[in-house]
Amino acid sequence: MDSQTSQSSQPSLPSPSPRTFQVDLRGLVDLLSHHLYSSPKVYLRELLQNAVDAITARRAVEPDAPALVRLFAEPGALRVEDSGVGLTEADVHDLLATIGRSSKRAEGLQEARSDFLGQFGIGLLACFVVAERIRVVSRSARTPDAAPVEWTAADDGSYTVRTLPDDARPEPGTTVHLVARVGAAEWLAEDRVLALARDFGSLLPYDVRVGEEAVTDLPAPWDRPYPSPAARRVALGRHCHDLFGFTPLDAIELDVPLAGIRGVAYVLPSAVSPAQRAGHRVHLKGMLLTERAEQLLPDWAFFVRCVLDTDSLRPTASREALYEDETLAAVREALGERIRSWLAGLAAGDPERLAAFLAVHHLGVKSLARHDREMLRTMLPWLPFETTDGRLSLEEFARRHPVVHFTRTVEEYRQVAPIASAQGVGVINGGYTYDSELVEALPSVRPGTVVAELDADTVTAHLDAVDPAVELALAGFLAAARAKLDPLGCDVVLRAFHPLSVPALHLDDRAARHEQARAQAEEEADDLWAGILGSLRGEAPRARLVLNHLSPLIRRIGSLGEPELIGTAVESLYGQALLMAQRPLRPADSALLNRAFIGLLEWATNGEGDR
C-alpha cells in the first residue's frame, strides 16, 4: 500500500473548539493611558463625542429632536446627560459589552455614519483612564416602548445589565455616571471639566453646558460678521492670543469648500527656525481633534499657526492626529495655495504690510520662491539680500549691475566684499539659506540677466595691475614672500586697489580649500593613507595673498633689505588678511600668526636696544 493510501486511511483529528480572547481590562486601560492617548483628558472628549453622535443619530430620523448635552460635576464623580438616540437592552448587550465594537454599527445608524465624530469604537473604554466605575442609563428613541436600561461596569472587567422602571429615564437619551479612580478625582472637578469641555467642544453644533456654563461658542470667530475689516482683524488677533499666546502680524482666511475646511492661519510675529515643527489646532466636525497637527501645511509655511474645522480629514486611531492619505495631501496643497495667494495679494496691494512681514519671515518666502517661479517673480522687488550695495532686492540689484556676481558662502563674501565694492563690482552674499539658489534662478524670471559666481580669479582680474618696471624692482621681495608662503599652499601677487587701508587680501575658492584640506590630511596621515591622499592631488588653483601696492605699509615692507624681517612681515600680512576674511584658522595658520607676532616683538625690542 503506497504512502498516499496509508495517509488517507488514518482517522482524522477532531477540529479544535473555538475560544475567545480573555481581556485584562486593567492592563488594556494602562496600555491606552500610556501608549495610545497623550493625556487622561481625552476621556472627556470621548464622552462629548458619544453624546454628540447620539444626538446626530436621533436627528437623522427626527430632525426636530432636542440637541442638548449637560455635564454635572460632583465631588469625585461626573454625570453626562444627552438627548440622543439612546439604547435598548439588546443594544447594550450588543454594543457596550464588546470591547472594540462601535455603536455606529447599530442597525439604523449606518445612514448617518458620515456625520459621526468617532470611527473606532473605543468609546467608553477611555473613561476607565480616570474612572473605576461607569454607569450608563439609557432609553431608546427608536423604540419608545422599550424600558430604560442600566449598564454598570467596573475597571476589573465585570459588568451588569438590568432594565429599570419607566420613571428612571422618562425621555429618550443617555446618562453616563463616572466614579473617579484613586488619584484621578481632579480630572472630574468642575473647573477642570469646564476647561476641557470648552477646549474640546467650543465649536460643536449642539447646546453643550457644564452646569449653567455654556461650552459652545458659535459661530466660529472666522465665520462671524464684523462691522469692518479692522474690527475683524482685532477680533481675530484676540482669538489668536487666547489660543496660541501671541498677537499675529496678520490673519489669513482658510476656506476650502471641497474639503469642508473653514478656519484661519495666524502669522507669527517673530522669526522661527524652518526646522521647527508647527503645531496646528484641527477640529473634526466641531470637536477638537488635535492641537499639534504638524503635517497640515507645506514645510515652507512654518511662519503660520492654523486653527480650522473640517469634516473630511481622517483621524488616527487615538483621534489625536491626522491620518496621512491622499485627502490630507490635497488639503495641504490647497492650504499652501491659499497662503501663497495671500502673499501675492500683499505684494500687489499692501506693500507696507508685506515689508513688515518680510522683515520677520523672509526665510519662509525664500523657501517657497526657490520652488515656485511665479512666487519668485512676485517677490523679486521685495525679498531682501545682503549685497555690497547694502540690503537690496534682487530686482534692484540687477538693475544696478550688468552682471550679478554672488558668492556661495558667507566667508567668501566677507573675503571679497570690501575690495569688490571699492572696485565697483557688485556682489551678493549667497551664503545664507536659499540665497544662492534664488540668485541662480534669477535669469528664469528675469530674462537677459547675467549671473556669475565670484571666484578669486574674477576678483583679481578687477584689480589694477602694477607697472612692470615697479614689479621688476620688487622681484626680490616678491620671491622671498612667495618662498615664505609656499609651504602653506599660498601664492603672492602684487596689485593696486582701494581702499588703501587694506594692505593685503587673501583670496581662495572652494577648490583651493579642498586642496589645502587634502594636503593637511596627507601630512598628518600614516604612510598608507598619505600615499592614497597623494594620488588625489589635483591641479586646483592655490590660494593667493594679493599685496596692495597703493598701501604705504606695503611700499615700506617692499623696501626692507633683511630677508628674515621680510619673511616675518609677510607672515604677519598673511595672518592679518585671514583674520579680516573671518576664515577659520588651520593649526598651521595659528602657528604662523604666533610666530609672526613673536618675531615682530623681538625685532622691535632688539631695534630699541640698539638705539
Side-chain angles (χ1 to χ4, degrees):
M1 188 164 50
D2 60 23
S3 59
Q4 184 174 1
T5 305
S6 175
Q7 289 178 4
S8 62
S9 65
Q10 294 178 1
S12 60
L13 297 175
S15 299
S17 301
R19 298 178 180 269
T20 57
F21 285 105
Q22 299 299 311
V23 177
D24 178 0
L25 188 57
R26 286 177 176 167
L28 184 57
V29 169
D30 182 71
L31 181 67
L32 290 175
S33 61
H34 288 91
H35 299 284
L36 183 62
Y37 294 131
S38 62
S39 166
K41 69 181 182 180
V42 298
Y43 88 92
L44 193 66
R45 184 193 64 200
E46 296 292 341
L47 289 173
L48 289 176
Q49 174 178 289
N50 287 344
V52 170
D53 285 347
I55 294 172
T56 300
R58 183 176 180 184
R59 283 201 157 186
V61 294
E62 298 179 52
D64 296 329
L68 305 175
V69 181
R70 297 290 184 265
L71 297 90
F72 301 95
E74 303 165 359
L78 178 66
R79 184 172 86 255
V80 182
E81 299 181 356
D82 69 66
S83 59
V85 69
L87 300 171
T88 64
E89 183 179 3
D91 293 334
V92 168
H93 283 290
D94 187 40
L95 302 173
L96 295 184
T98 305
I99 291 175
R101 174 80 60 86
S102 172
S103 61
K104 317 310 181 292
R105 298 189 181 99
E107 183 180 356
L109 301 188
Q110 283 289 350
E111 65 272 12
R113 179 165 182 158
S114 63
D115 293 326
F116 292 136
L117 301 174
Q119 299 288 329
F120 299 95
I122 294 177
L124 288 175
L125 187 61
C127 294
F128 280 118
V129 173
V130 297
E132 67 176 12
R133 186 161 56 89
I134 301 173
R135 176 171 170 258
V136 177
V137 177
S138 186
R139 185 163 196 160
S140 174
R142 297 196 310 274
T143 313
D145 296 335
V149 61
E150 177 191 71
W151 175 83
T152 304
D155 61 0
D156 62 0
S158 63
Y159 72 92
T160 61
V161 179
R162 63 172 180 154
T163 57
L164 300 176
D166 284 349
D167 58 0
R169 176 83 200 193
E171 298 296 327
T174 300
T175 301
V176 179
H177 302 262
L178 302 184
V179 177
R181 300 176 61 155
V182 175
E186 62 175 300
W187 291 102
L188 306 187
E190 184 172 16
D191 56 346
R192 177 67 68 90
V193 170
L194 178 59
L196 291 178
R198 284 177 171 167
D199 194 38
F200 283 120
S202 63
L203 301 183
L204 289 174
Y206 305 134
D207 183 2
V208 182
R209 295 178 182 271
V210 176
E212 299 299 321
E213 297 288 338
V215 169
T216 51
D217 186 19
L218 296 176
W222 50 84
D223 286 330
R224 296 172 189 169
Y226 296 96
S228 67
R232 180 181 184 82
R233 191 174 296 120
V234 169
L236 291 179
R238 188 180 305 114
H239 177 245
C240 175
H241 191 275
D242 292 341
L243 279 185
F244 297 115
F246 65 86
T247 301
L249 284 178
D250 206 348
I252 307 170
E253 300 287 337
L254 301 179
D255 187 1
V256 187
L258 293 179
I261 285 179
R262 287 284 297 142
V264 62
Y266 293 115
V267 181
L268 291 165
S270 56
V272 294
S273 168
Q276 179 177 333
R277 303 298 296 179
H280 308 290
R281 288 177 65 92
V282 177
H283 295 255
L284 180 61
K285 303 180 181 73
M287 180 74 75
L288 178 66
L289 176 69
T290 178
E291 54 190 358
R292 297 187 303 273
E294 296 182 349
Q295 68 272 51
L296 186 65
L297 295 180
D299 290 341
W300 56 260
F302 56 83
F303 50 83
V304 298
R305 296 292 181 270
C306 293
V307 53
L308 56 82
D309 188 25
T310 177
D311 59 13
S312 64
L313 297 178
R314 290 176 57 195
T316 58
S318 67
R319 291 196 287 280
E320 294 186 295
L322 296 173
Y323 187 81
E324 184 68 51
D325 58 10
E326 293 180 358
T327 301
L328 179 57
V331 166
R332 183 162 48 235
E333 183 177 349
L335 295 181
E337 181 59 36
R338 181 65 194 90
I339 297 173
R340 185 185 290 109
S341 299
W342 170 78
L343 284 170
L346 288 186
D350 200 339
E352 291 185 2
R353 286 172 64 198
L354 178 63
F357 166 76
L358 289 177
V360 179
H361 296 298
H362 58 274
L363 196 59
V365 180
K366 286 180 177 180
S367 175
L368 169 60
R370 66 196 176 118
H371 298 301
D372 188 325
R373 291 295 178 259
E374 188 58 37
M375 181 55 61
L376 177 58
R377 184 179 291 106
T378 301
M379 291 290 113
L380 270 181
W382 308 103
L383 286 175
F385 288 77
E386 182 180 357
T387 79
T388 49
D389 293 352
R391 288 190 70 79
L392 295 176
S393 69
L394 288 180
E395 178 71 26
E396 177 63 23
F397 188 86
R399 282 201 298 264
R400 295 186 182 188
H401 299 278
V403 178
V404 177
H405 288 104
F406 73 99
T407 63
R408 291 192 182 276
T409 68
V410 174
E411 290 79 8
E412 290 173 353
Y413 177 80
R414 291 171 178 167
Q415 184 175 258
V416 302
I419 308 305
S421 178
Q423 308 307 310
V425 179
V427 184
I428 295 176
N429 183 357
Y432 296 116
T433 307
Y434 310 133
D435 283 8
S436 61
E437 295 176 70
L438 293 176
V439 174
E440 289 182 296
L442 188 56
S444 67
V445 296
R446 196 177 188 276
T449 303
V450 179
V451 173
E453 182 177 354
L454 190 68
D455 55 22
D457 289 334
T458 304
V459 176
T460 305
H462 280 83
L463 304 180
D464 294 335
V466 177
D467 184 273
V470 173
E471 189 162 2
L472 182 61
L474 294 173
F477 163 73
L478 293 175
R482 288 169 181 145
K484 195 68 176 177
L485 298 185
D486 182 69
L488 298 173
C490 184
D491 291 332
V492 177
V493 297
L494 187 66
R495 292 290 187 273
F497 55 88
H498 292 275
L500 304 183
S501 58
V502 178
L505 175 66
H506 182 271
L507 295 176
D508 65 0
D509 53 26
R510 284 185 302 280
R513 288 195 294 276
H514 290 163
E515 175 59 22
Q516 287 180 343
R518 187 210 58 77
Q520 181 177 348
E522 179 183 356
E523 184 177 326
E524 297 172 355
D526 56 29
D527 292 342
L528 174 61
W529 281 108
I532 295 174
L533 292 170
S535 67
L536 299 177
R537 182 183 295 110
E539 298 299 326
R542 289 154 57 94
R544 67 198 68 176
L545 182 68
V546 184
L547 303 179
N548 186 4
H549 184 61
L550 297 181
S551 167
L553 176 61
I554 294 299
R555 295 193 177 196
R556 288 197 297 272
I557 293 175
S559 64
L560 293 174
E562 301 179 29
E564 184 176 347
L565 184 54
I566 290 175
T568 300
V570 169
E571 287 182 334
S572 300
L573 290 171
Y574 174 82
Q576 189 260 354
L578 284 179
L579 294 176
M580 281 186 59
Q582 302 183 39
R583 294 292 309 281
L585 298 180
R586 299 172 296 167
D589 298 330
S590 298
L592 176 145
L593 277 172
N594 184 63
R595 183 170 64 248
F597 178 72
I598 297 299
L600 289 177
L601 284 179
E602 289 179 349
W603 178 82
T605 53
N606 288 339
E608 184 65 27
D610 294 340
R611 286 195 290 270

